[in-house]
Amino acid sequence: MKKVCFLILLFLAFSISAAEKKPEDFSLLRKVTDGTLNYSTFELVITGSGIPETNVTNLNSARITAEKAAAANARLKIVKVLSGLTLSGKTKVGAYFEEKGDPDFVDRLVNVADIKDVTYERFYSNSSVDVTYKVNVSGYLRKIVEEGRAEFSNKKETVAASGDEAAKTKSVLVINFKTKVEPQLFFSVVTEKGEKIYDISMSKETSKSPVSLFFAKKKAEKLIEKEKLEGEILSVPAFKISGSEIVIKNSDAGKIAAELKKECFEEGKIVVVSAE
């Protein structure tokens, strides 16, 4: 009996330890070339490859030059990842700036000095190296969004807010999806009638999210806590996604108008939760 109890306790201890090491369940991850992009925290994990300069005379110098080359390679990959993100609908970031006559906009944004948080290194016998970095790209995304926010604002008439603003109690909007959500930088929220509830033009440039809203997987609580999105939560289900528009039912639009404070939109305290 004692042996059985010991085994049960051992199993429980192992389960608790494994649960503690489990990654945060709010993170919405998408694979990119040689890495992953976390749309919940705006952290990009990317691997750069480098070889030493040909004129180096010792192993230490070879390693230093290879690491510099890996960082430069990672920078190019970050530019490619950001350029491939979706702004709105089918419009990609890179294509948008190319059409504006500024194809090097994203390339100018990404500074190799920002690529310094190393999470893994692998060295080879020829002195080449693969270095994995973690880079917070929220600053880059904010600058990209600011360049396009006027053009991609939803021009539909906004649903009029109802009730006394002082009487409203909710400050954070959570929109729940039962399916997978593919993130875009310029999502908007509309009613079934096509009336606008929210788009990026309604938020301040200093809003908490660098894009139109936050993304989370399964649960919003941990993301809300991490990003310090203070205030009561108003949670509504999504009806569907239509292009770049998150469609909600008219009755839920009424709840938003009656219960949600203006600061929610101004500060960008909107979280879309996917059930994937």
Side-chain angles (χ1 to χ4, degrees):
M1 183 65 182
K2 288 182 178 179
K3 185 176 181 180
V4 172
C5 290
F6 174 77
L7 290 174
I8 291 173
L9 289 172
L10 186 63
F11 174 78
L12 289 173
F14 177 81
S15 300
I16 293 171
S17 176
E20 289 175 349
K21 294 179 181 178
K22 187 178 179 181
E24 298 282 15
D25 62 3
F26 67 77
S27 294
L28 190 67
L29 302 176
R30 291 290 180 266
K31 289 184 178 180
V32 297
T33 303
D34 294 326
T36 57
L37 178 57
N38 188 332
Y39 276 94
S40 303
T41 61
F42 305 109
E43 288 181 334
L44 173 64
V45 175
I46 201 85
T47 298
S49 301
I51 59 174
E53 295 178 356
T54 56
N55 59 345
V56 294
T57 56
N58 60 70
L59 187 61
N60 187 53
S61 296
R63 175 175 176 173
I64 292 172
T65 59
E67 288 176 335
K68 286 183 178 180
N73 180 246
R75 194 195 77 83
L76 293 176
K77 290 179 179 179
I78 293 170
V79 171
K80 185 175 180 180
V81 168
L82 296 178
S83 297
L85 297 181
T86 303
L87 264 179
S88 180
K90 296 181 180 180
T91 303
K92 301 294 184 180
V93 170
Y96 170 71
F97 285 105
E98 190 167 345
E99 289 177 8
K100 286 190 68 176
D102 191 4
D104 298 325
F105 179 84
V106 179
D107 186 66
R108 295 196 307 272
L109 281 182
V110 184
N111 192 331
V112 73
D114 298 331
I115 307 170
K116 55 190 177 184
D117 188 359
V118 176
T119 62
Y120 179 74
E121 286 186 89
R122 183 176 182 181
F123 297 94
Y124 298 92
S125 57
N126 63 352
S127 296
S128 64
V129 62
D130 288 337
V131 185
T132 300
Y133 304 90
K134 182 170 65 176
V135 182
N136 190 307
V137 297
S138 61
Y140 301 146
L141 295 178
R142 193 175 291 278
K143 290 177 181 177
I144 289 169
V145 165
E146 287 310 310
E147 287 294 315
R149 64 186 292 146
E151 184 170 341
F152 285 93
S153 294
N154 190 317
K155 303 302 182 183
K156 296 178 181 179
E157 185 175 347
T158 306
V159 176
S162 61
D164 180 11
E165 183 68 25
K168 297 179 181 180
T169 60
K170 309 296 175 64
S171 301
V172 182
L173 177 62
V174 173
I175 305 175
N176 292 286
F177 267 94
K178 294 182 179 179
T179 57
K180 183 176 180 178
V181 177
E182 284 303 323
Q184 297 186 18
L185 304 190
F186 284 109
F187 265 132
S188 59
V189 183
V190 301
T191 68
E192 295 171 273
K193 298 178 181 179
E195 298 169 312
K196 181 176 71 173
I197 300 293
Y198 168 79
D199 72 16
I200 191 69
S201 67
M202 298 169 69
S203 67
K204 297 177 181 177
E205 293 184 3
T206 56
S207 63
K208 292 188 177 290
S209 175
V211 297
S212 58
L213 37 78
F214 285 102
F215 299 92
K217 183 179 70 174
K218 295 184 180 178
K219 295 181 180 181
E221 289 82 358
K222 288 185 178 180
L223 176 60
I224 288 171
E225 181 182 358
K226 179 183 180 298
E227 297 296 335
K228 297 181 173 60
L229 307 181
E230 293 91 354
E232 284 190 62
I233 296 171
L234 175 61
S235 182
V236 300
F239 181 62
K240 64 178 180 178
I241 286 185
S242 178
S244 300
E245 297 178 334
I246 297 173
V247 183
I248 63 173
K249 292 185 176 180
N250 296 327
S251 57
D252 290 320
K255 289 181 182 179
I256 290 173
E259 300 179 35
L260 199 64
K261 295 180 181 180
K262 188 169 62 173
E263 71 179 67
C264 171
F265 296 148
E266 291 178 342
E267 297 180 13
K269 298 194 292 186
I270 309 169
V271 182
V272 167
V273 181
S274 171
E276 63 179 87

